[in-house]
Amino acid sequence: MKKKKNDRILIGILLIVFGGYLLATSILDKTGDIAYVKVRNTVLFSVDLRDGSFTPRKNEQVIMLEELPRVEKDGIYVNDIKLDTLEINKGIAVYENQYYIMGHLGIVVIEYKDSKVRVKEEFSPYNICSRQGFSDKNPIICLPNYVTIEFNQSETDVII
Amino acid sequence: MSVKKLTLLAILTGVASIINILESYVQIIPGIPFKIGFSNIVTLIIIYKYGAKEAVITVLLRIVVTALYSPGTFNYATFSLSFSGAVFSLIVLSILVKLDFFGITANSTLSSLFHVIGQLVAASFLFTDVVAYYAPLMLFISIPAGIFTGILANRFLDRTKDIFIDKKF
């Protein structure tokens, strides 16, 4: 029975410590102003959440699309012609407020809407990051695709 | 190792793998890749009934089997996360069982906590910045998850006290 008492004390302490830690961090959290889309930990482009303006990485190839492309795993198709400029961590295709990049497993479609971003479409076993929905605070992680979307305050500088 | 023990361990590994695979499709909290870890019930049962060595072997086998059976191609990122989580939690669990200071619930909670710590360590190599954001939440939910699996394992061990599994083969 001594063990049972030990268990209760330990679990109580753990709950208080980590509950307090969680509470403290969630109070300090603020919504971000800029979303940084990273592939393998380097920023590919950023979207300003206040006005939806978009800044690609220096010297990055950006293709502005005129019509909605068809998304397949291996690339995006415009009028059944494959756009072959998208590679992992290289090249961005933009159609209105949708951004197409190549992740590790396939195309990742990122959408900006009403000051928030989401992963609209992606190819992964469990589709965890597209099921997460819109966010302006919680980072979105597409683990098998090595794509992350992180949010920062505009004051903090991230080198693009 | 007798044939009986080998068979039982193989069946338990299979059960754990199936639980693990099925659990991958269920999201408890939408958007957060968190699992309660029901397959760890099997790990707890094995470590309490057989020992640390058997638990290590079955868990490593389970991870490999699950990684091979998950849809799509073998994924290095998810595998490294579950591998480092398993290594951390197994080390902690083995030490705790050896010390015999806490009951099964507290042992399960601590090992679940270290599973998350192990995953965070692996994730910090893959993605540097996001880990800090997810750490408090993941660490906190791992505690009730560990309590839950601990209670379930305890119940199983209680109920099967005088059935097959209790005898050391």
Side-chain angles (χ1 to χ4, degrees):
Chain A
M1 283 306 101
K2 201 169 158 248
K3 269 195 203 168
K4 232 174 198 166
K5 207 182 149 203
N6 287 346
D7 279 19
R8 290 220 179 110
I9 293 167
L10 179 85
I11 289 168
I13 290 169
L14 287 179
L15 279 174
I16 291 166
V17 169
F18 288 102
Y21 180 37
L22 176 65
L23 207 69
T25 47
S26 58
I27 288 168
L28 294 172
D29 245 13
K30 283 185 232 148
T31 54
D33 288 330
I34 297 170
Y36 296 97
V37 177
K38 298 183 178 180
V39 182
R40 286 188 180 278
N41 263 327
T42 47
V43 179
L44 193 58
F45 68 93
S46 66
V47 182
D48 196 319
L49 294 180
R50 290 159 295 192
D51 53 10
S53 61
F54 138 92
T55 326
R57 178 171 60 186
K58 240 186 203 161
N59 305 326
E60 191 59 58
Q61 192 168 18
V62 180
I63 308 130
M64 303 305 251
L65 302 173
E66 262 149 41
E67 54 188 299
L68 191 72
R70 183 164 57 86
V71 179
E72 295 273 328
K73 190 170 175 163
D74 60 333
I76 55 170
Y77 292 79
V78 183
N79 294 329
D80 281 333
I81 298 158
K82 190 183 163 192
L83 219 68
D84 52 359
T85 39
L86 294 183
E87 281 170 46
I88 294 173
N89 206 6
K90 223 176 116 197
I92 311 158
V94 186
Y95 171 74
E96 288 180 353
N97 56 354
Q98 292 183 25
Y99 306 95
Y100 302 85
I101 57 170
M102 185 59 106
H104 195 67
L105 292 182
I107 290 287
V108 178
V109 185
I110 294 153
E111 187 185 28
Y112 165 87
K113 205 176 169 186
D114 303 329
S115 305
K116 286 183 175 182
V117 288
R118 70 161 171 177
V119 172
K120 195 184 176 196
E121 229 180 308
E122 108 305 332
F123 296 90
S124 70
Y126 308 112
N127 301 100
I128 285 170
C129 65
S130 55
R131 279 200 250 167
Q132 195 174 338
F134 285 102
S135 175
D136 58 359
K137 189 164 120 190
N138 304 19
I140 300 169
I141 305 173
C142 296
L143 183 70
N145 275 309
Y146 293 93
V147 172
T148 58
I149 305 174
E150 292 164 42
F151 302 93
N152 280 57
Q153 299 294 308
S154 49
E155 289 88 32
T156 44
D157 276 329
V158 170
I159 302 146
I160 294 183
Chain B
M1 195 185 277
S2 72
V3 177
K4 203 161 189 180
K5 186 181 168 187
L6 186 71
T7 318
L8 265 174
L9 285 178
I11 291 170
L12 287 173
T13 312
V15 169
S17 308
I18 290 166
I19 294 172
N20 204 339
I21 292 163
L22 287 179
E23 210 185 356
S24 308
Y25 291 93
V26 185
Q27 269 192 59
I28 304 149
I29 309 158
I32 296 167
F34 188 86
K35 289 192 278 185
I36 288 189
F38 287 106
S39 52
N40 291 325
I41 297 167
V42 180
T43 315
L44 286 168
I45 291 164
I46 293 173
I47 205 163
Y48 269 90
K49 282 299 161 194
Y50 292 110
K53 193 184 88 191
E54 283 83 353
V56 170
I57 295 166
T58 46
V59 168
L60 292 182
L61 269 174
R62 186 195 86 206
I63 293 168
V64 174
V65 168
T66 325
L68 291 176
Y69 268 85
S70 68
T73 47
F74 184 83
N75 200 280
Y76 181 72
T78 38
F79 179 75
S80 61
L81 282 196
S82 54
F83 182 78
S84 96
V87 168
F88 270 66
S89 67
L90 276 172
I91 290 169
V92 169
L93 190 63
S94 310
I95 293 167
L96 285 170
V97 171
K98 200 114 200 168
L99 284 177
D100 201 31
F101 183 69
F102 296 117
I104 190 166
T105 323
N107 286 351
S108 156
T109 312
L110 278 172
S111 104
S112 149
L113 197 66
F114 273 88
H115 189 275
V116 170
I117 290 170
Q119 284 185 320
L120 290 174
V121 168
S124 66
F125 286 104
L126 295 171
F127 310 109
T128 42
D129 307 349
V130 274
V131 178
Y133 185 89
Y134 268 101
L137 184 65
M138 297 292 264
L139 286 171
F140 181 71
I141 352 179
S142 77
I143 297 168
I147 296 171
F148 192 51
T149 48
I151 289 170
L152 288 177
N154 201 16
R155 278 183 79 100
F156 182 89
L157 291 171
D158 259 2
R159 297 274 166 97
T160 56
K161 234 176 208 161
D162 28 49
I163 318 177
F164 73 103
I165 202 147
D166 202 33
K167 294 169 196 136
K168 290 223 174 187
F169 300 108

